[in-house]
Amino acid sequence: MVKRSCPSCGPELGGEEKKGRGNPISVQLFPPELVEHIISFLPVRDLVALGQTCRYFHKVCDAEGVWRLICRRLSLRLRDQGSGVRPWKRAAILNYTKGLYFQAFGGRRRCLSKSVAPLLAHGYRRFLPTKDHVFILDYVGTLFFLKNALVSSTLGQMQWKRACRYVVLCCGAKDFASDPRCDTAYRKYLYVLATREQQGVVGTTSSRTCDCVEVYLQSSGQRVFKMTFHHSMSFKQIVLVGQETQRALLLLTEEGKIYSLIVNETQLDQPRSYTVQLALRKVSHCLPHLRVACMTSNQSSTLYITEQGGVYFEVHTPGVYRDLFGTLQAFDPLDQQMPLALSLPAKILFCALGYNHLGLVDEFGRIFMQGNNRYGQLGTGDKMDRGEPTQVRYLQRPIALWCGLNHSLVLSQSSDFSKELLGCGCGAGGRLPGWPKGSASFVKLQVKVPLCACALCATRDCLYMLSSHDIEEHTSYRDLPASRVMGTPEPSLGAGAPQDPGGTARACEEYLSQIHSCHTWQDRMEKMKEIIGWMPLMAAQKDFFWEALDMLQQDVGGGGGPPVPES
């Protein structure tokens, strides 16, 4: 009989009832190596639960020795691939939580399925579905090629199954991209940003690493093209924009600069060699002081997020520009690379870009939508287009956000830490499970979400969710200060204080106090207009209140107005 006893608890009562059972032995008397070895046989889920029972087991279950044993038990090939402050714990959790799940929109069988899990994969970092297959990048730069194939079912029948076999496409990959359109039928090639060893000066044995872009056929995984850059240039992200004959590759450097080059995809399968010109993108040329942190694109526009949380836009076609901004006033067809700055109230952490609408998430967890809203894909409850970022007030702190052709998806976490999937927009083709007619507001979809889901995307016929948990990478939202609940920029209302239910009431009381301090009717009207500008209202609502106040001023006569009564 083994028992953990706490020294501060003293002897147990009721010893007469336990005669004949033997004396209990404290687990604290065992050698730490033996305890760690025994605990390492527990499943990861049970190990985490055991560590929450008391301080002693929390210390034992959090030891790197336990997680090292678990790593070797999860994968025999997993040795020194861990990194960070807690390399073994991070590696074990990454490999325990990794998974790719999908749910087909059509057919009679509408349930969540799991793809094959490559044993060599060290967690899942990114994934991309193409026309026929799925590509997954792990945390050590190995790119896996998950193939769809015909397999034998339990009844002996042959059936077509998604992502049921895998091969290693390449190693040393940093990032990868394909045609940015939502329709995977256009994703013929896969562009992989990788690091390769290059031979040095002729006649020497020295070598150096250089970044390159390798192009693979998505159907077979065959490499058809390769371009190598100078060793002094180091990139971290690649996106595509434009048509097949004028495909622009945008490359983000470690220093936050954007470079671009043009490739004709229709000539990639021809065995020939030619030189392409790498040029600095206009957003980095015109704004050299800005360091871009990440970028995303679709066929005709690109969105950049700077390290300070600012957002800049490139729009290359007048139709998409009109859908996004509601006007063509500032569109210049002769200078389509000119970056446009979006006016936002806080630092932006991540974004999603659809065909003609977009979503932004700021540091306080607020979601802002903008663009075409014909099918209700902005989730604002109506079908009115938005020419500027508009907050979706009933949604906060999302885990992931995705925008498609005419619908949007949000991955969120409830109070009991379970995940749920919300969607809005067009529901045709089953793309909003449980809502075939669509919805103009974000509604909960009938999809069973994995516990560690962290990313998602949808194609025309399937929904994909990536499961992975990195203990060193998580989105940490800030609490919204009470002074900004109602949108005022003034710090006197308690800026820096945590958000609380009474923050809105205190802000309104401060507004009334400011209006009361005005001595004339005219001053009060002007102050009211100023406060309306501070409030986070939609543009149409602000215009309505401002015009109504102007009408009241005109009715009074435009003078000083009636005298302000004494209080």
Side-chain angles (χ1 to χ4, degrees):
M1 178 181 296
V2 179
K3 178 182 178 182
R4 188 197 71 83
S5 62
C6 182
S8 61
C9 295
E12 286 194 18
L13 300 177
E16 296 294 334
E17 299 177 0
K18 298 186 178 180
K19 287 183 179 180
R21 298 187 182 180
N23 296 325
I25 303 174
S26 172
V27 72
Q28 296 175 343
L29 300 177
F30 290 167
E33 297 81 5
L34 179 59
V35 178
E36 291 179 1
H37 180 75
I38 296 173
I39 290 179
S40 66
F41 285 93
L42 290 174
V44 174
R45 192 186 189 103
D46 296 340
L47 179 67
V48 174
L50 179 62
Q52 297 174 349
T53 56
C54 65
R55 294 182 181 179
Y56 172 76
F57 279 123
H58 175 75
K59 182 179 179 181
V60 173
C61 295
D62 202 43
E64 278 292 278
V66 174
W67 293 105
R68 182 176 65 251
L69 295 173
I70 292 176
C71 281
R72 293 176 177 176
R73 195 162 288 117
L74 286 174
S75 176
L76 296 176
R77 300 176 178 86
L78 188 60
R79 284 294 182 265
D80 299 326
Q81 295 180 345
S83 61
V85 180
R86 303 293 307 277
W88 290 111
K89 183 176 181 180
R90 178 173 183 257
I93 295 179
L94 278 175
N95 286 273
Y96 177 76
T97 58
K98 68 180 181 183
L100 179 64
Y101 299 84
F102 56 89
Q103 178 172 323
F105 293 141
R108 292 176 297 177
R109 190 170 179 264
R110 297 183 182 180
C111 61
L112 201 65
S113 303
K114 186 177 182 180
S115 70
V116 61
L119 295 177
L120 296 174
H122 182 53
Y124 291 163
R125 186 159 64 99
R126 269 204 63 203
F127 79 105
L128 178 68
T130 58
K131 179 181 179 181
D132 303 311
H133 311 291
V134 181
F135 295 86
I136 292 182
L137 179 65
D138 72 355
Y139 278 82
V140 293
T142 305
L143 186 59
F144 293 89
F145 183 18
L146 274 61
K147 297 182 177 182
N148 303 336
L150 284 172
V151 295
S152 178
S153 65
T154 55
L155 300 178
Q157 300 176 349
M158 299 299 293
Q159 62 180 5
W160 184 256
K161 193 173 182 180
R162 296 176 185 268
C164 60
R165 297 175 182 173
Y166 74 92
V167 295
V168 176
L169 185 68
C170 68
C171 298
K174 293 183 174 181
D175 195 19
F176 63 101
S178 187
D179 191 293
R181 283 173 283 192
C182 297
D183 191 350
T184 56
Y186 296 104
R187 298 175 184 174
K188 181 180 179 181
Y189 295 101
L190 187 76
Y191 294 76
V192 180
L193 175 64
T195 300
R196 297 285 181 262
E197 290 284 342
Q198 299 290 333
Q199 294 297 327
V201 182
V202 178
T204 64
T205 59
S206 62
S207 62
R208 55 193 176 191
T209 58
C210 297
D211 283 357
C212 65
V213 172
E214 298 174 342
V215 185
Y216 295 85
L217 279 172
Q218 71 85 27
S219 57
S220 63
Q222 176 187 0
R223 195 181 76 181
V224 297
F225 189 73
K226 179 181 179 179
M227 60 188 85
T228 304
F229 306 107
H230 193 266
H231 64 88
S232 62
M233 305 193 71
S234 178
F235 302 100
K236 64 179 182 180
Q237 189 185 0
I238 179 174
V239 298
L240 308 182
V241 66
Q243 300 286 345
E244 290 87 347
T245 56
Q246 287 289 320
R247 182 76 74 197
L249 278 65
L250 305 186
L251 298 162
L252 175 61
T253 67
E254 298 289 348
E255 294 77 22
K257 302 297 181 182
I258 306 291
Y259 287 86
S260 65
L261 56 92
I262 305 297
V263 172
N264 188 350
E265 278 192 359
T266 60
Q267 301 177 355
L268 288 179
D269 54 354
Q270 301 177 9
R272 67 189 186 93
S273 176
Y274 61 91
T275 303
V276 294
Q277 183 179 1
L278 190 66
L280 190 67
R281 198 72 173 178
K282 195 160 190 175
V283 63
S284 296
H285 180 74
C286 297
L287 305 170
H289 60 285
L290 293 179
R291 292 171 60 95
V292 178
C294 62
M295 54 183 177
T296 185
S297 68
N298 61 21
Q299 184 183 2
S300 57
S301 56
T302 310
L303 189 146
Y304 307 102
I305 299 180
T306 66
E307 291 184 350
Q308 293 76 25
V311 178
Y312 291 84
F313 226 136
E314 284 183 17
V315 184
H316 305 152
T317 59
V320 175
Y321 190 98
R322 184 187 296 108
D323 286 337
L324 288 172
F325 297 99
T327 180
L328 288 175
Q329 182 176 1
F331 180 74
D332 186 359
L334 303 178
D335 191 7
Q336 298 176 356
Q337 292 187 16
M338 177 59 68
L340 305 171
L342 293 185
S343 178
L344 294 158
K347 177 181 179 181
I348 297 300
L349 298 184
F350 60 93
C351 66
L353 184 59
Y355 172 67
N356 53 11
H357 75 288
L358 62 98
L360 304 164
V361 180
D362 70 358
E363 58 183 334
F364 303 111
R366 297 177 296 182
I367 300 178
F368 296 88
M369 306 294 288
Q370 177 179 344
N372 186 283
N373 199 23
R374 179 180 179 183
Y375 297 93
Q377 59 263 44
L378 300 186
T380 54
D382 53 42
K383 295 185 178 181
M384 296 173 55
D385 297 346
R386 300 295 195 276
E388 58 185 18
T390 302
Q391 183 181 353
V392 182
R393 298 190 177 278
Y394 55 90
L395 281 183
Q396 287 186 347
R397 300 176 179 254
I399 298 173
L401 174 66
W402 183 84
C403 295
L405 181 64
N406 47 31
H407 73 294
S408 305
L409 301 174
V410 167
L411 182 63
S412 65
Q413 181 172 280
S414 58
S415 57
D416 60 350
F417 298 102
S418 62
K419 305 289 179 63
E420 58 184 15
L421 185 62
L422 308 174
C424 65
C426 179
R431 65 191 67 184
L432 296 181
W435 300 83
K437 295 183 179 180
S439 173
S441 302
F442 280 99
V443 291
K444 184 177 180 179
L445 305 183
Q446 295 180 4
V447 177
K448 184 179 180 181
V449 182
L451 181 63
C452 296
C454 62
L456 75 157
C457 79
T459 62
R460 177 179 292 180
D461 56 352
C462 193
L463 169 69
Y464 294 88
M465 287 182 288
L466 186 73
S467 172
S468 182
H469 180 69
D470 189 352
I471 61 175
E472 296 183 359
E473 293 182 8
H474 61 278
T475 303
S476 56
Y477 294 114
R478 296 173 53 198
D479 290 330
L480 188 65
S483 62
R484 302 183 65 174
V485 172
M486 293 298 293
T488 174
E490 296 185 3
S492 60
L493 303 183
Q499 181 180 356
D500 63 324
T504 303
R506 289 198 300 270
C508 292
E509 290 175 0
E510 178 68 16
Y511 294 152
L512 290 175
S513 176
Q514 295 178 14
I515 296 175
H516 180 72
S517 62
C518 299
H519 300 289
T520 64
W521 169 268
Q522 188 72 21
D523 292 339
R524 288 189 173 186
M525 296 293 286
E526 295 299 327
K527 191 64 178 179
M528 187 61 193
K529 292 181 181 179
E530 183 180 357
I531 291 175
I532 291 174
W534 292 343
M535 292 184 174
L537 303 173
M538 292 184 293
Q541 294 172 333
K542 291 183 179 180
D543 292 339
F544 166 77
F545 286 120
W546 283 333
E547 291 183 9
L549 292 176
D550 288 337
M551 293 174 61
L552 291 175
Q553 283 183 306
Q554 293 175 2
D555 291 341
V556 172
V564 178
E566 295 289 337
S567 62

